[in-house]
Amino acid sequence: MDPAYSPSAPPAISRADVAAAAKTVIDAVLSDSGAATSPSTPGASGTSGCTRSQTGPCSLCMSVLCPAIWFNPQRMHPQVEALVYWRDPKKSGIVFGGVMVVLLSLTFFSFISVVANLSLLALAATFCFRVYKSVQQVIQKTSDGHPFKEILEMDLALPAEKVRTTSDLAVTHINAVVSELRRLFLVEDFVDSIKFGFCLWMLTYLGSWFNGMTLIILGVVGLFTLPKVYETNKVVIDEKIALVSGKINEITAKVKAAIPIGKKAEEKKEQ
């Protein structure tokens, strides 16, 4: 990890931020009817990339859980951004290929078998390289020392301050998600709970089509492809997203206008 990079301090959030945090993930697909009139697009210039507000990101947008962050290179860690956007195709290819090999192995073998075999493969490679370098030093009569000396001397201890800061951020996001789930399951807002129920209904079909490992593999493939595709075709995709978001906002507004319970919940939030 880049030593100059450190997680931001936990943001001070109000009850409105907590209530909107987990909903950001849902509203990335189903646009939030309480957002600004002009729909925000991922990574659009002049916006925060948050679907909830144009003035600044919500608490969930400060974490990797927010979909918009993967389409905004400026808000990503430089090393992660370089990998996801294929700034160095060689490094990105190695990481992507290695992750895919591990995930595909887990679909056919148990976790213990995959870990054990990969560890044995790594140990065999380092052992052979160590023997090769030792023999080479004897033949050439050099004193280069241990071939992995730099790695052995590297400080791998986790900085306590960064661990505490990361833990605080994780707790903030977990509390936000729990609070939002409580709000959705207990139907604090009628329309928002309908949106949530629709997403759950879609997940039932998704679960019948794919298992968990398949979804993870698709997620990794999407992570290494969709951001780059978006960056390459940003103008065209933004136009399509704006068109779809406008239609969804229009339909949502009509549904809220037709449901008195949704109106009351909205008025209560504004107060």
Side-chain angles (χ1 to χ4, degrees):
M1 180 177 286
D2 186 356
Y5 174 81
S6 61
S8 58
I13 57 175
S14 63
R15 186 184 181 282
D17 291 325
V18 173
K23 190 171 66 175
T24 305
V25 178
I26 300 173
D27 290 343
V29 181
L30 299 175
S31 178
D32 186 2
S33 59
T37 304
S38 61
S40 61
T41 56
S45 59
T47 67
S48 65
C50 175
T51 58
R52 180 184 64 84
S53 172
Q54 296 293 328
T55 59
C58 62
S59 61
L60 191 65
C61 287
M62 302 303 293
S63 73
V64 296
L65 297 178
C66 180
I69 197 173
W70 297 106
F71 297 93
N72 191 344
Q74 289 76 21
R75 293 170 57 198
M76 298 173 64
H77 187 284
Q79 293 181 359
V80 177
E81 183 264 340
L83 289 175
V84 172
Y85 284 86
W86 297 78
R87 306 304 185 202
D88 187 343
K90 183 178 179 180
K91 290 183 179 179
S92 297
I94 292 174
V95 173
F96 177 64
V99 172
M100 289 301 298
V101 167
V102 173
L103 293 178
L104 291 174
S105 299
L106 289 172
T107 60
F108 297 103
F109 306 101
S110 67
F111 176 78
I112 296 177
S113 298
V114 172
V115 172
N117 281 284
L118 289 178
S119 299
L120 280 174
L121 182 62
L123 178 60
T126 55
F127 187 84
C128 291
F129 185 74
R130 175 77 168 87
V131 171
Y132 167 76
K133 295 298 290 185
S134 298
V135 172
Q136 188 180 47
Q137 290 175 18
V138 171
I139 294 176
Q140 297 180 354
K141 296 181 180 180
T142 60
S143 57
D144 295 335
H146 201 289
F148 301 114
K149 182 179 180 181
E150 293 183 1
I151 300 177
L152 289 172
E153 294 177 351
M154 187 182 300
D155 184 14
L156 300 178
L158 293 174
E161 185 61 32
K162 287 187 178 181
V163 172
R164 283 193 294 269
T165 305
T166 305
S167 300
D168 291 339
L169 285 172
V171 170
T172 300
H173 300 317
I174 291 173
N175 290 338
V177 170
V178 170
S179 178
E180 179 66 8
L181 289 177
R182 179 184 62 182
R183 190 184 72 85
L184 292 172
F185 275 109
L186 299 183
V187 198
E188 181 179 344
D189 183 277
F190 194 75
V191 175
D192 288 344
S193 294
I194 290 178
K195 286 183 181 181
F196 182 60
F198 176 76
C199 290
L200 293 178
W201 178 68
M202 292 297 294
L203 286 176
T204 61
Y205 283 93
L206 195 63
S208 65
W209 297 335
F210 309 102
N211 58 28
M213 187 55 63
T214 303
L215 291 177
I216 294 175
I217 293 174
L218 292 176
V220 172
V221 173
L223 176 62
F224 278 86
T225 55
L226 295 182
K228 187 62 178 179
V229 171
Y230 174 75
E231 185 183 50
T232 305
N233 306 278
K234 188 176 185 299
V235 176
V236 177
I237 295 176
D238 283 351
E239 292 177 356
K240 301 299 183 182
I241 291 177
L243 180 62
V244 173
S245 298
K247 293 294 183 181
I248 293 177
N249 284 338
E250 183 180 349
I251 295 172
T252 305
K254 290 181 179 179
V255 172
K256 282 199 168 185
I259 301 176
I261 299 178
K263 284 183 177 180
K264 292 178 182 178
E266 185 177 359
E267 291 174 358
K268 184 179 178 181
K269 283 184 179 180
E270 290 177 355
Q271 293 175 356

